[in-house]
Amino acid sequence: MTSGQPGTGNARPTPTGADAESRPATPTVAGTPTQPARISAKAPAENTADQPRTGDGATTEAAPNGTPEADPATSGPAKDAARRGDKRGTTAKKSTTTKQDGTAKQDGTAKQDGTAKQVAAKGETAASDSTATGTDAAKDSDPAKDSGTVDGATKDSAATKGSGTVDGAVKDGDGEPTKDGEPAKDAKVADGKDAKAADGEAKPVGPERWEAFASAPEPRPSIFTRAGRAVGRFLIHEWTLAALGALALAVLMTWPTLRYPRYTLPQDYWDPSLQSWQMAWSGHILLADPARLWQANTFFPELWSFAFSDTLLGYAPAGMLGSGPEDAVLRYNIMFVLAHALATFGAYALARQLGAGRIGAAVAGVSYTYAPWLLAQAGHLHVLSNGGIPLALAMLARGHGWSLRHGYRPERRHDGWVYAGWLVAAWQLSLGFGIGLPFAYFLAGAVLITAVLFYARRLRTGQAVPFGRRLFAADVLGGVLFAGVGLLMAVPFFKVTELHPYAERTIGDISLFSPPATGFVTAPGESRIWGGLHEGARAALPWHPEMTLLPGFVLYALAAGGLFFSVWRLRHRLLLLSGVLVTMAFAMGTRFFDGTFTYVPLFEHLPGWSGLRTPGRLMLWTTLLLGLLAAGAVTALTDRVRELTAQRIPSWPGPWLRMATLLPLLLVTVEGLNTTPHPVVPTQPAAMRSAQGPLLVLPSNQSLDQHVMLWSTDGFPDVVNGGSGFTPRQLDDVRRVSQSFPDQTSVDYLRTLGVRTVVLLRGQVVGTPWEISIDAPVESLGISRQDVGDAVVYRL
């Protein structure tokens, strides 16, 4: 039974039972105009796209040609009642209509997500309880089909209760009765075009009319387009720009190092020749015979000779490329420039991680790398190769989620950065103990202090501070790796100390290289800005190459300003200032109250510290701490300028104010300009190319032997010559006995050592005993003599 709703023109079902309790009563609105069941055939065609709704929300539809569509729900008695205008009406429900013109679907339409909702809204007849899914929804519930089409538009109707029924049989879409859910035998499909319509399957919905006005979908980018975009994002990333900027600045600030990179060396050609040989030897022997790494081809027949000085072992991969003296010089110059670039990038990364802005971090990077005092170390690549120190600290701080500005942030922890930090630290240690040993002790102290503070905070607050097992495992494994590399590197040096006890430093040796306080304001002669002005001050220093320790007057000023105006907290500024003063005191060696409370305890009690002969190189830590103080001040300045620029109306002074923030960076860079000489490397004698080892090259001394080491990179024959931080006594004996070469005593002695060839350089014999004996006959000695180029070759 259905109860008519007066004034609506549509019939509403009368809820019964549980349905009646769950549905709220629909109030009857008086005065609601009565809607006809049909639209006049004279309705304009243009209104079919968007028909008005009836009083209860039902939408009347029209065929695409403007002819009103027959209501599929009104068949039989319901249809007659609609024609008579009977206000009672019957329950009429419009079901899902598949229209070729893409008009909107009515309530109760089988959704594309495969779920057909039960029709229970006002003005709608209760539909079948079965649920239709997918495109077979109509088929599963056996809905009635419209028997015909109007201008090709197929109408689908749902089964209606109490309308068009004959003895309980529900009429299908063409008006034929069906019983027990089976269609009548004579069911027809209009024009026979849609055979599946009779089986209860709806036709697929055609393209929507308004799709033509929609924006075209974006084409899927190809793999090359995506790769290009990824490369573009990488190239404009901050760290990419920082690395490229550091490299470009290194090339400019070290110029003309790369002007003639195969023939010149920066500063001088003594220590750089030694270090060129070190890189070449490590790369060569690791490919040929790694077990002989520490038994180098120089200082023959000494053992562990590769550990006579810092080894630059971390550069061994570069030593695997190329061969011969020219390639060794080229390799050294490239690594010389890259060492400057890495130092700038590492200090920049550390300042950024601690919370400095980009310009402030750039000031820290440039001041750390191009401090005037480092210009005197241009011939010591193992001192200039310090970029791994700030880079490792930056990575470790990043992995632990800690910064100076924001403190400990557990959510930023990442064990991958911790592993990377320990790897970089181990690599830095492999370059040498000259600056690597203080770094190792600093890391050990930092780990100890951090652990104490961590547990003290936990006891004070009573709360477990987040740390995590993964981070703890990364620290343990990384620390073990770092310690393992340190021990493996230390074993050969302990062997050398055991075989040559006189090689160990004494307090007297340290005193010779300990700078006075005036060294902190004295620049080396290689400084373009201050070199000439400080000539008199350098003359007053006992050994000025290791005592001119000026980090830069601009850096001093910026750091002093950072004590009062900075983004760092006050306690952090005071901590940085304390670090500056303490490291300065240690850098003075025995000049600070005789080192009783500073350097001497370290020298006497810390393993390996006695091998460090130049305390002034601890100025590296002073420079880094001053750079961080300066970065805090410059960052505060840039932040303030940004605020002022945003507040100014009009904003035209903004660019000028922002350009002013670059002034500290410009001044620090200018103060780092240098006049470093680049002498031409002595050419390898032709006799060295064909001489068979073991051989001795005369004259032999500390300076000339470093050239011989470089020349020996052509095939790496065993040579008696060698230069290092100390001279073995056996080499002293060889030099003393060879003063009378060629004579029977020297020949017999060299044969005892295993020497087979002696090369005497004519260009170096002026003022030496060989100036007279170089052309003496040797037939009576049982040796042969041959002139090869500008040298005389003796075969023993």
Side-chain angles (χ1 to χ4, degrees):
M1 294 294 294
T2 59
S3 61
Q5 183 75 14
T8 60
N10 286 279
R12 296 183 181 274
T14 302
T16 59
D19 194 26
E21 296 175 359
S22 61
R23 295 185 185 179
T26 303
T28 302
V29 181
T32 304
T34 302
Q35 288 286 359
R38 291 176 176 269
I39 298 177
S40 173
K42 297 181 180 180
E46 58 269 18
N47 291 338
T48 60
D50 188 9
Q51 296 293 343
R53 293 186 175 271
T54 61
D56 60 355
T59 306
T60 57
E61 298 174 325
N65 61 357
T67 305
E69 294 183 357
D71 191 349
T74 56
S75 60
K79 189 173 183 180
D80 296 336
R83 289 176 178 175
R84 289 193 307 266
D86 189 354
K87 291 185 178 182
R88 293 178 301 170
T90 59
T91 56
K93 175 186 176 295
K94 291 190 178 182
S95 65
T96 305
T97 304
T98 304
K99 302 188 67 175
Q100 293 183 356
D101 59 356
T103 56
K105 295 181 179 181
Q106 302 298 322
D107 293 339
T109 304
K111 301 294 184 182
Q112 290 185 359
D113 60 358
T115 305
K117 298 183 178 180
Q118 293 181 352
V119 179
K122 56 185 178 179
E124 296 177 344
T125 306
S128 173
D129 291 337
S130 60
T131 303
T133 58
T135 57
D136 296 332
K139 183 176 179 180
D140 295 338
S141 59
D142 287 327
K145 292 289 182 178
D146 189 25
S147 60
T149 60
V150 180
D151 293 341
T154 304
K155 302 280 290 182
D156 297 335
S157 62
T160 59
K161 184 178 180 181
S163 175
T165 61
V166 180
D167 296 332
V170 182
K171 279 198 172 187
D172 59 4
D174 58 358
E176 295 295 333
T178 61
K179 205 166 189 176
D180 297 331
E182 296 295 333
K185 295 181 179 180
D186 297 332
K188 297 179 180 180
V189 178
D191 299 329
K193 294 180 180 180
D194 195 355
K196 292 184 179 181
D199 297 332
E201 293 184 6
K203 289 185 65 177
V205 178
E208 294 291 342
R209 171 181 299 177
W210 304 112
E211 285 184 356
F213 297 93
S215 58
E218 293 185 4
R220 180 180 178 83
S222 64
I223 185 173
F224 300 104
T225 303
R226 295 196 300 271
R229 292 176 180 175
V231 171
R233 288 192 298 269
F234 173 78
L235 291 178
I236 63 174
H237 196 276
E238 176 188 353
W239 297 113
T240 304
L241 297 177
L244 295 177
L247 182 60
L249 184 64
V251 173
L252 294 176
M253 295 294 286
T254 60
W255 190 260
T257 298
L258 295 183
R259 186 177 183 181
Y260 304 108
R262 300 174 68 89
Y263 309 105
T264 63
L265 286 171
Q267 189 76 351
D268 56 55
Y269 44 55
W270 293 298
D271 283 353
S273 295
L274 164 64
Q275 292 162 348
S276 298
W277 166 81
Q278 288 174 330
M279 284 189 285
W281 167 256
S282 60
H284 160 75
I285 201 63
L286 288 177
L287 291 176
D289 187 7
R292 271 195 61 196
L293 172 64
W294 299 103
Q295 317 302 328
N297 71 312
T298 57
F299 294 100
F300 177 85
E302 294 285 353
L303 301 176
W304 306 98
S305 56
F306 193 50
F308 284 0
S309 58
D310 276 340
T311 61
L312 293 175
L313 185 59
Y315 289 150
M320 298 177 182
L321 305 176
S323 61
E326 289 187 358
D327 287 346
V329 173
L330 173 63
R331 184 185 305 114
Y332 179 91
N333 285 320
I334 292 176
M335 300 312 297
F336 179 81
V337 175
L338 291 179
H340 284 80
L342 180 61
T344 305
F345 182 81
Y348 176 89
L350 178 59
R352 286 289 283 154
Q353 172 60 31
L354 295 181
R358 291 183 177 87
I359 299 178
V363 169
V366 173
S367 63
Y368 175 75
T369 307
Y370 303 103
W373 76 273
L374 282 170
L375 298 178
Q377 304 292 332
H380 301 144
L381 185 58
H382 61 290
V383 177
L384 299 177
S385 299
N386 52 54
I389 294 176
L391 184 59
L393 294 178
M395 289 179 171
L396 290 173
R398 172 66 179 87
H400 289 84
W402 184 84
S403 71
L404 196 64
R405 192 172 183 180
H406 305 289
Y408 178 54
R409 291 180 287 181
E411 69 277 3
R412 291 179 174 265
R413 292 170 297 169
H414 196 293
D415 58 319
W417 284 110
V418 176
Y419 285 114
W422 284 112
L423 284 174
V424 172
W427 172 79
Q428 176 66 58
L429 189 62
S430 70
L431 294 176
F433 285 111
I435 62 173
L437 190 63
F439 177 48
Y441 282 116
F442 173 82
L443 281 179
V447 170
L448 180 61
I449 293 173
T450 301
V452 170
L453 294 177
F454 186 85
Y455 285 104
R457 179 182 176 183
R458 182 173 182 175
L459 293 175
R460 185 178 68 253
T461 60
Q463 297 179 352
V465 183
F467 194 79
R469 295 181 179 179
R470 295 181 58 180
L471 202 61
F472 179 77
D475 280 324
V476 171
L477 295 177
V480 169
L481 171 67
F482 179 79
V485 171
L487 290 176
L488 291 176
M489 291 283 297
V491 168
F493 290 92
F494 286 129
K495 289 287 187 180
V496 170
T497 303
E498 180 182 346
L499 294 173
H500 308 278
Y502 51 87
E504 196 168 3
R505 313 294 181 187
T506 64
I507 287 294
D509 297 330
I510 303 302
S511 299
L512 293 176
F513 296 98
S514 296
T518 57
F520 296 119
V521 291
T522 305
E526 293 82 1
S527 174
R528 184 178 294 274
I529 303 299
W530 308 113
L533 298 174
H534 292 181
E535 185 176 357
R538 286 194 304 274
L541 299 175
W543 182 249
H544 66 83
E546 297 289 349
M547 297 182 180
T548 50
L549 303 179
L550 175 68
F553 290 112
V554 175
L555 183 59
Y556 276 143
L558 293 174
L563 294 175
F564 305 97
F565 180 68
S566 176
V567 294
W568 313 133
R569 295 182 177 89
L570 178 60
R571 65 175 183 272
H572 294 152
R573 288 178 249 167
L574 296 178
L575 184 64
L576 291 173
L577 177 61
S578 301
V580 168
L581 297 178
V582 169
T583 53
M584 278 185 168
F586 280 104
M588 292 178 67
T590 59
R591 294 295 186 101
F592 186 80
F593 296 101
D594 296 330
T596 305
F597 307 103
T598 55
Y599 200 87
V600 173
L602 301 181
F603 182 87
E604 293 178 347
H605 301 291
L606 288 185
W609 201 274
S610 58
L612 307 179
R613 65 171 182 170
T614 51
R617 293 175 182 175
L618 292 175
M619 192 65 186
L620 190 71
W621 293 91
T622 306
T623 308
L624 182 59
L625 296 174
L626 288 172
L628 294 178
L629 275 172
V634 175
T635 301
L637 174 64
T638 55
D639 289 349
R640 182 58 179 159
V641 167
R642 189 178 299 110
E643 294 173 1
L644 291 175
T645 303
Q647 295 172 2
R648 295 184 70 90
I649 300 175
S651 60
W652 61 266
W656 297 103
L657 290 175
R658 292 189 179 184
M659 288 180 62
T661 61
L662 297 176
L663 183 60
L665 177 60
L666 177 63
L667 293 177
V668 168
T669 304
V670 170
E671 197 171 18
L673 295 176
N674 67 86
T675 58
T676 303
H678 287 74
V680 178
V681 181
T683 306
Q684 180 190 25
M688 288 285 295
R689 303 190 187 103
S690 58
Q692 296 180 354
L695 61 89
L696 169 66
V697 179
L698 297 174
S700 175
N701 55 54
Q702 175 72 15
S703 299
L704 295 178
D705 281 5
Q706 291 173 334
H707 299 154
V708 176
M709 298 174 78
L710 175 62
W711 296 336
S712 72
T713 57
D714 189 3
F716 293 97
D718 290 333
V719 296
V720 179
N721 307 72
S724 69
F726 78 100
T727 302
R729 288 178 178 175
Q730 182 173 288
L731 181 56
D732 274 339
D733 293 341
V734 170
R735 290 171 178 172
R736 177 177 50 81
V737 172
S738 299
Q739 293 290 323
S740 60
F741 184 86
D743 67 346
Q744 195 63 51
T745 302
S746 60
V747 169
D748 292 343
Y749 178 75
L750 293 176
R751 283 175 174 169
T752 302
L753 294 179
V755 176
R756 300 176 56 187
T757 307
V758 176
V759 177
L760 185 58
L761 303 176
R762 287 184 178 274
Q764 303 292 335
V765 299
V766 178
T768 67
W770 299 288
E771 188 175 6
I772 300 175
S773 62
I774 191 172
D775 294 320
V778 295
E779 288 79 6
S780 60
L781 301 176
I783 62 176
S784 63
R785 176 180 178 278
Q786 180 184 6
D787 288 329
V788 180
D790 194 24
V792 180
V793 179
Y794 299 89
R795 293 181 174 85
L796 309 184

